[in-house]
Amino acid sequence: MNIEDSKFSDNNEEDQKTPLPFLEEEEDQAGQCSDVKECWREYQLEEELADGGKMWNKVTSEGAGDKSESSIEHCWSDVNDIGAMKYADRISIVALYRNLKQLNNIAKEKELVVTKIRDELTTCQLRIKMLEKQLEYVDVEIQKEKEAGNVAALFRLRAVHRRLCTELEDEKDFELKIALTLKENMLEMWWIETEQGKYEALHKQLQKDEEELETQYQEKAEARIHKEKIAALQAEENQLSRKKKEEEAQKECEERHKKMLEVAKKNREKAVSFLRKSMARIHEENAKEEVKTQEHMERRIQAVLSLKNSITSNREKLQALQAWNKAMALEAKKEELKMKEATLAEGGNVAKEIFLHKRLLQHEREKQAFREQQKSRKIEIVSRILQEKASIHKQKNRQSCTKASKSGGKLTDSLLWRRKMWHYIEKTCGHPAGAISQLRCSPAEEQAHGERTAFVGDDVLCESVEDEKEKDKTLVEPEFPGLWSQEYDLHKVSNEDVDTKQVALSVMKNEIFEKKMEEFQTMVFHKQIVSGHEPKGRTFYRKPSYVHFKDFDVGKIYKKKIVLTNASYSVNFCRLVGISECLKDFISIQFEPPGKMSPGMSCEVGVTFKPATDENLEGEVMFMAQTGSFSVPLKCTAKTCILCFSAIGVSIDVPVWVPNPNIDFKICMYDRLYQDCVVIQSRAKATLRLKFEVCKELSKHMELLPKTGYIQAQSSFTVQLKFLPRHSLPQDAGSYFNEETSVLEVPVTILIADKTKQVNFTVHAIVTTSELEISPAEIDFGYCTIYEAVQTNVTLTNKSILPQEFGFVGLPEFVEIQPNDGFGVLLPLESLTLDIIFKANKAKEYGFELTCKSESNRRFKLSCRAVGVHPPLELSHSLVQFAATALNDVSTATLYVMNSHVSVNHFTHAVPRIDSGEIAHVGPTSFEFHVPEDCPVTVTPSVGTVLPGKKSLIQVSFRPTLSDQLIREEAAQRLGRAAATGAEIQKKKDEKREGKKLNVPITRQHSSRQFPRDGSSKYPSSSSSSEQPESKEIKPDSESYMEAQAFLMRNFRGRFEKYIIPCFVASGDIDEKKDSESLTCSPYNTLFLELHCPAVAPSVVVTSDNGKNTVNFGDVAVGHTIIKQVTIQNISPEKLELGFSVLNPSGPFLLVRPVRILEPGENKALIISFSPNENKLFFEALDIRTAQKNLTLSIMGCGVMPSIVCSVEEVLDMGYVLAREKTTFTFEIQNTSTLTLQYSIQLDSLSPTRNKDQQRLPSFLTSSLQRTEIVGTENYSGLSVFSIFPTQGEIAAGKSQDFVVTFSPDHESLYYLDCLKVVLFGKKIAHVIQLKGAAREHPMFVEGGIPLDVPIESLAVMLPVSSQEALKEELQEPVKSILLVLEHIEGENSLVPAKTELRVGAIRTAQFANKKNVEFSFDNLSLLQKKGFSVEFVKGTVDRGQVKCISVSWVPPADLDTTGPVMETALLTLKGDVKESYQIICMAKVISACAPSN
């Protein structure tokens, strides 16, 4: 298959993946298939079973082509009859249509290819013509220059000629190639055109079918539009019907409104009649009010005049006082001058004497002030005691008798505190012991004394308002507890405080020492990592390796030096830790820390030894480096006896000898040649023949040249020694080679001819290998994307005891080795970790070898393999380096996730795939970033989908914070230290207290029993307190947690962390999946994002509220404002200019006072206010900006709408009470909101706007229930009729408060009214209660019906009526008239009467306790009965405190004219302490059932 066939097959596969729209349309028309998906699956199966699934393969034979044509014709004959076609025939027609479409596409592509090739051919021909013209021109120029004899130009032109000739030949070759490709493409295009011609008829028929389908679609659309029009018409009709119904309902509403207006007009006419009567009374009251106002003004004028007189008198007193002060100042100056003169006369120091005199006067003034302060304090304490006694007495009176009996035998806590207070008075105020003893008494006497003083306290409390405010204060808990202790002295600092400080200091020092020792013992050091590997071995070389003081003498001083050299690969430091304990008395170290030392740098350490005893010593000098500790051994040995001995030997006379009998080759490697010269000397006087022999075991490895030689008399002879150790040396050498130490000792023999004697010399060598070991020997990098590098480590070990140079040579372009690009030197037996970095450049399988070459030209192989992956997505940046970010600050970086996969053509560009597998699908691709749990990084969005050719913006935020575990550990340590310190202090106090108890007299011990004896309840024991709490038990909102967090933040030294975030990639759109479904992703397509996150200490920290960065206003009532201060401190060494982010202008938070400049270490306060305007939670962030770092304050608060529930809803009726008596009622208000409410109770009768409200005209309506007066009748005395207690206070969330309302009228009236308002926070009125009450002069009353009097009475004081006048008034007119209205409804049951009632009551009172009950009776009932009225009770009695209801009913008689109202009167008489008569006016009328009642 050629290129075009492959492209054609690819397009064919793509079309198979997409469903065909016209296949569904044909199935809808035929009605043969109900499920399109099942047909499509069958079609795919048939295509897979076909021969390759392609009909247009050029490899097929002509016979096959004929068969296909016949099948096409057969299928085409049945196209018109779609309903009768088989399913297989329909599928074949669909395949034919698809193949025709593909064939047309291929033809178009082939035409484009042909046009491109023709364009290239024409350009190539033009280039050939241009080159030929240039050649002709160059030939002419060569001829000219040759004739001119210009050799340089001639050489240049000939070079140009040669270049043009080569270019011309290349272009002609390229022209031939283009022509051949053009012919091939032309043939292919002609073949495609012939194929198109075969199926042209079929193509036309398919186009006709498509047109018919389009017409059918249009018909369906028209039918659908017609249905929609019909539905729209029906909807319009429904809307019109609804409008008609609404209009009818509106008309009915208007008619009802008209009727209501008519009723209102009638009521208004009645009200006008009442208004005219009351206007006269109002004018009279106004005149009286004016007279009172004038009198009041005169009194005020008199008060102002008296005030003026008092001011003038006070001014004169002040002037006299100022004159007296001036006179005293002059006298002081005179005394000072006299003192100067006297001092000068005596020859003393004037300045000193004056200064001492002034200090003495100042001391006297301070002493006097202190005495006055003591007196005032004493008076204040005594007054508080009296107040406390008074309050205790009140509490005892309120308590029940049972509680009093239980607590009678016990001593109250207040008594104990009073005794402590008297001890304090005795010490501070200097009272004599007798005065104190007089105040002390027995509990019984003190109780009696408390009862006596309680009445005094009541009198004091009633004198002023301030005392009333402080009446609830007690001295159960003193304001300053230290002043109440018997052991406290104002002028001395106790030894306990001094001991406490010393104990605290010692504890802190011990803790610091233990902490340092723990650090040294645990050996927690920084690892030194250079180029990705950690060096092994010593970091510091010592010279000498150990210090040895030999043969010392006692009393002398010995000194030595140690040189320490940094042998590590990076900067290091060295610090002296100490020496062994046994050497501290004899050894002293002189060492100045050199600071940071670069590799190879040295420093010196001086060691001085001063022996005091004749003993051997051993120890070490300990040092500390960045990578760990090390030490230098130190040994001191005294003088010892030396054993001398002598040896005896026999010398032999040999004619030749070897000046160097030991030939040392040092360290040798296998398979390398080593040479040396051996010099032989002769002492003989004749020439000697020498023969050189090496032992048989080493004959393969060692050789002497020449093997024989002649040495002249008394001369020298040189022999060359060659040593080539082979790997079989250990086996061949036998006993001459020590395998453990690799030492070779070979004897070499020199034989002298004609002599029996021989000369020997020895060859020494240490043989080592040149092997380099790579571990592991094979590396599998696995799957690696082309956008990242994979790193693995290998260990390169030098097996030799000699250093070896190495280098990785011939590295491929996709491999990198670090450090030093794979080159370096390995010390003897050293291992080095190398980083092998592999970066794939394309998606394929990799297999390669890395070669490591040593200096001995040995090669060591490292096999590697990997699989390259080209993922569907890529990151614009795979590495993000954040700037240095302060704690709790945020740094943000942006990058993109890009989808560049838009085509599956792998010939034009690289396509996403794993190895050489299937190409990724072109379409939407999803991604997901997985951030580790404890990573201070957020990725937004972490999940998304990218379309082909698009990119998605990703925001990465870094917010460094302190670890929760670190804070908890620090808090636990701080609590442990505090507990240990407290235990030590308590222990010291207990010891001192025990020592004092031994010296205290028996009488003092007896008195001390009155105070608490259980000290363990106040101070924990040392064993329990010294235990350090577990970090898990510490809560994040605890004070210890906050303190530890603030401490760690202030002492934060910075950190650097790296994070690698994986990004998983999957094909498909994540938004199209359901909740239960998920996309499948390959782990090999995973992308990785590396983050470098440096964290530093903040410049500005919050010091208020234990360093919290959160300002929480809590619950605040809506409409109120709360202000908070946040203190910030500059902990940096530089001056800071601060800026602030803008808060929401329409939000509830406001930065009232910002701070612009902060000096180093300076504290300043920010003022932030919170004014919520609705009931919800608010949150905003305020950024405090500096030049480099930011501090974010989280501001939050919750607006809460205050809400209460009252047990009384709208009206509180206090009922009837006798004048000048009072009654009370208790109601409850519950706080149902989540915040504490500040309340105040206001009465309209006490309102400051009451005078203005009284100037308005009152409004009257027909019924008393419709009257709108807020304040009714008032007392003649000017006191409020209604009073309430308490009037202000607070109600906690969810709690309730009881309120007592007192009704105390001073004269008779039925219209006592007032309005009680519950006001929250001084602004919002939360609840309103209408207070009502009535007062009578006599203990009886009648209520009911419609009163015919005016509710507003005259303010003139009416004197009480005497008994004689009351008897006279009994014969006069009835005192009151009551109107009873009865309405009988016509049309309903005529037997049902119209009813109303009167209520006759008797007031219960102690004033008339001995009087008889109230009697009542009706007169003139016969007239009522004639007109159809009937009364339930004609006469009767009412007990004290009871109310009797009298029912009055009316049924219209048959002969009665009911066209108008029926009226009749009766007389109701009440007898109690006096006799009262009421005129009862009964008015009845008949109304229709449909007419509304008035």
Side-chain angles (χ1 to χ4, degrees), residues 1391-1408:
L1391 298 177
V1392 177
K1395 290 184 179 182
T1396 187
E1397 65 179 17
L1398 286 173
R1399 291 180 294 279
V1400 178
I1403 302 172
R1404 182 187 299 274
T1405 176
Q1407 183 179 354
F1408 301 97

Side-chain angles (χ1 to χ4, degrees), residues 1193-1245:
L1193 292 180
S1194 299
I1195 310 174
M1196 65 177 64
C1198 184
V1200 178
M1201 188 67 70
S1203 60
I1204 60 172
V1205 174
C1206 184
S1207 58
V1208 177
E1209 293 183 355
E1210 294 180 357
V1211 179
L1212 175 58
D1213 192 351
M1214 303 296 291
Y1216 284 81
V1217 67
L1218 282 179
R1220 291 170 295 282
E1221 289 190 358
K1222 61 177 67 176
T1223 182
T1224 61
F1225 181 84
T1226 302
F1227 67 92
E1228 183 185 64
I1229 293 179
Q1230 183 181 5
N1231 181 6
T1232 58
S1233 59
T1234 59
L1235 76 161
T1236 301
L1237 300 181
Q1238 297 178 1
Y1239 68 87
S1240 61
I1241 307 299
Q1242 297 179 1
L1243 294 174
D1244 280 1
S1245 60

Side-chain angles (χ1 to χ4, degrees), residues 929-1085:
F929 287 91
H930 276 235
V931 181
E933 290 184 359
D934 297 332
C935 180
V937 174
T938 56
V939 181
T940 307
S942 59
V943 180
T945 302
V946 188
L947 299 177
K950 303 294 182 181
K951 60 184 179 180
S952 177
L953 178 65
I954 304 297
Q955 189 174 18
V956 185
S957 300
F958 168 51
R959 182 189 291 273
T961 56
L962 291 173
S963 171
D964 181 70
Q965 183 63 26
L966 181 64
I967 298 172
R968 290 178 183 274
E969 291 176 357
E970 177 65 25
Q973 291 177 5
R974 293 171 71 89
L975 289 174
R977 289 196 295 268
T981 306
E984 291 291 335
I985 295 170
Q986 180 62 27
K987 186 177 179 182
K988 292 280 186 181
K989 288 184 177 181
D990 293 341
E991 291 176 356
K992 288 190 176 183
R993 193 177 291 117
E994 289 176 1
K996 287 181 180 181
K997 283 182 180 180
L998 298 175
N999 300 323
V1000 174
I1002 297 174
T1003 57
R1004 295 287 291 174
Q1005 290 180 0
H1006 179 74
S1007 64
S1008 65
R1009 293 177 186 174
Q1010 299 172 359
F1011 298 95
R1013 292 170 292 177
D1014 190 6
S1016 61
S1017 62
K1018 187 174 181 182
Y1019 300 101
S1021 63
S1022 61
S1023 61
S1024 62
S1025 63
S1026 61
E1027 295 179 358
Q1028 180 172 322
E1030 295 185 2
S1031 58
K1032 296 180 181 178
E1033 299 174 357
I1034 299 173
K1035 296 181 179 180
D1037 55 351
S1038 64
E1039 185 175 355
S1040 58
Y1041 186 93
M1042 298 299 176
E1043 290 177 355
Q1045 185 178 14
F1047 174 78
L1048 291 174
M1049 188 174 293
R1050 287 174 176 273
N1051 296 274
F1052 186 70
R1053 296 290 179 245
R1055 65 168 179 255
F1056 180 81
E1057 294 176 340
K1058 291 183 181 180
Y1059 300 99
I1060 296 178
I1061 311 295
C1063 176
F1064 299 103
V1065 179
S1067 297
D1069 193 347
I1070 191 66
D1071 296 332
E1072 296 179 357
K1073 295 293 180 180
K1074 298 180 180 178
D1075 295 337
S1076 60
E1077 298 180 357
S1078 61
L1079 297 174
T1080 57
C1081 65
S1082 173
Y1084 309 131
N1085 286 327

Side-chain angles (χ1 to χ4, degrees), residues 37 365 429-430 483 505 534 630 760 775 840 960 969 999 1245 1247:
K37 293 183 179 178
R365 285 196 296 270
C429 300
L483 299 177
L505 288 173
E534 180 184 355
F630 66 93
N760 296 327
S775 176
E969 291 176 357
N999 300 323
S1245 60
S1247 173

Side-chain angles (χ1 to χ4, degrees), residues 809-954:
V809 295
L811 294 177
E813 60 180 2
F814 46 80
V815 174
E816 182 183 355
I817 300 178
Q818 292 297 334
N820 298 328
D821 296 328
F823 290 86
V825 178
L826 281 175
L827 298 178
L829 303 177
E830 183 186 11
S831 295
L832 179 64
T833 302
L834 298 175
D835 297 331
I836 312 297
I837 302 169
F838 169 75
K839 185 174 183 181
N841 50 17
K842 60 176 67 176
K844 68 174 186 178
E845 186 174 359
Y846 290 85
F848 53 92
E849 286 186 347
L850 302 179
T851 302
C852 177
K853 192 174 181 181
S854 67
E855 63 177 333
S856 60
N857 205 21
R858 293 193 62 185
R859 297 175 181 269
F860 304 93
K861 301 291 185 180
L862 177 62
S863 299
C864 303
R865 64 176 181 270
V867 177
V869 178
H870 188 162
L873 300 180
E874 62 178 306
L875 298 176
S876 60
H877 298 84
S878 59
L879 173 64
V880 176
Q881 295 178 340
F882 288 102
T885 307
L887 291 177
N888 298 323
D889 196 4
V890 180
S891 293
T892 305
T894 56
L895 52 96
Y896 291 93
V897 177
M898 300 181 292
N899 185 357
S900 58
H901 182 39
V902 295
S903 173
V904 295
N905 188 356
H906 63 279
F907 296 103
T908 58
H909 59 277
V911 293
R913 58 171 60 178
I914 300 173
D915 193 3
S916 57
E918 184 181 357
I919 300 173
H921 176 68
V922 178
T925 307
S926 300
F927 64 89
E928 181 177 4
F929 287 91
H930 276 235
V931 181
E933 290 184 359
D934 297 332
C935 180
V937 174
T938 56
V939 181
T940 307
S942 59
V943 180
T945 302
V946 188
L947 299 177
K950 303 294 182 181
K951 60 184 179 180
S952 177
L953 178 65
I954 304 297

Side-chain angles (χ1 to χ4, degrees), residues 721-855:
L721 177 62
K722 292 185 178 182
F723 179 47
L724 180 61
R726 310 201 183 267
H727 288 280
S728 60
L729 177 65
Q731 292 80 21
D732 297 341
S735 61
Y736 299 114
F737 183 76
N738 189 346
E739 293 187 5
E740 293 181 0
T741 61
S742 300
V743 176
L744 177 67
E745 292 184 2
V746 180
V748 179
T749 306
I750 302 175
L751 300 175
I752 305 171
D754 302 330
K755 302 285 184 182
T756 57
K757 298 177 181 177
Q758 58 186 12
V759 179
N760 296 327
F761 66 91
T762 306
V763 179
H764 299 271
I766 300 174
V767 184
T768 183
T769 181
S770 60
E771 191 77 20
L772 294 177
E773 183 183 39
I774 302 175
S775 176
E778 293 184 359
I779 296 176
D780 186 3
F781 290 99
Y783 290 84
C784 177
T785 66
I786 63 173
Y787 304 122
E788 64 179 0
V790 178
Q791 174 185 334
T792 188
N793 298 328
V794 296
T795 304
L796 184 62
T797 305
N798 181 11
K799 295 293 185 180
S800 174
I801 59 175
L802 287 176
Q804 292 194 79
E805 294 182 358
F806 69 92
F808 284 85
V809 295
L811 294 177
E813 60 180 2
F814 46 80
V815 174
E816 182 183 355
I817 300 178
Q818 292 297 334
N820 298 328
D821 296 328
F823 290 86
V825 178
L826 281 175
L827 298 178
L829 303 177
E830 183 186 11
S831 295
L832 179 64
T833 302
L834 298 175
D835 297 331
I836 312 297
I837 302 169
F838 169 75
K839 185 174 183 181
N841 50 17
K842 60 176 67 176
K844 68 174 186 178
E845 186 174 359
Y846 290 85
F848 53 92
E849 286 186 347
L850 302 179
T851 302
C852 177
K853 192 174 181 181
S854 67
E855 63 177 333

Side-chain angles (χ1 to χ4, degrees), residues 633-679:
L634 192 146
K635 188 175 182 182
C636 304
T637 55
K639 286 183 178 181
T640 57
C641 297
I642 299 174
L643 180 63
C644 298
F645 62 93
S646 61
I648 301 172
V650 179
S651 62
I652 301 174
D653 186 14
V654 180
V656 296
W657 81 95
V658 180
N660 186 15
N662 293 310
I663 307 299
D664 191 358
F665 278 106
K666 307 277 183 195
I667 301 174
C668 305
M669 289 186 179
Y670 288 107
D671 296 329
R672 297 191 71 178
L673 178 61
Y674 299 91
Q675 297 181 7
D676 198 359
C677 293
V678 181
V679 179

